[in-house]
Amino acid sequence: IDLFLTILLLLIFGNIEGHPLFYWLWEKGPFWFIGVKLLHTFVPLRILDYAQYKSPCFTRNACRFGIIAYIAVWLLGVFFLG
């Protein structure tokens, strides 16, 4: 969802990427941006998948906290920064 919304905002609405690394990658081209964004998403998910076997309760709670924190920060950015 994040990748889709980011590309939608960048292409259709003319927004600029706020993260300096991803801004630089967007300037290099959308394929670089998409590739690193996917890598940035799937590597932590793979780590969480591995951690689930070591400590399932902690991993579940960490995922819940991460999802809530991400949504909160995203909404703050949308409402206060535009």
Side-chain angles (χ1 to χ4, degrees):
I1 293 175
D2 178 58
L3 179 61
F4 174 74
L5 289 175
T6 303
I7 291 175
L8 180 75
L9 291 171
L10 291 173
L11 289 177
I12 295 177
F13 297 108
N15 291 26
I16 60 171
E17 174 63 42
H19 192 287
L21 173 65
F22 288 116
Y23 176 79
W24 178 73
L25 288 166
W26 182 255
E27 293 295 317
K28 289 185 72 73
F31 293 112
W32 284 99
F33 180 82
I34 292 169
V36 173
K37 194 84 160 173
L38 288 173
L39 189 68
H40 188 255
T41 301
F42 287 116
V43 168
L45 287 177
R46 182 63 187 118
I47 292 170
L48 285 172
D49 184 45
Y50 173 75
Q52 182 179 3
Y53 294 108
K54 297 287 185 183
S55 179
C57 185
F58 172 78
T59 305
R60 187 179 325 107
N61 290 332
C63 288
R64 288 177 181 159
F65 174 79
I67 290 168
I68 292 169
Y70 180 85
I71 291 171
V73 169
W74 188 83
L75 288 173
L76 287 171
V78 168
F79 289 122
F80 291 111
L81 299 176

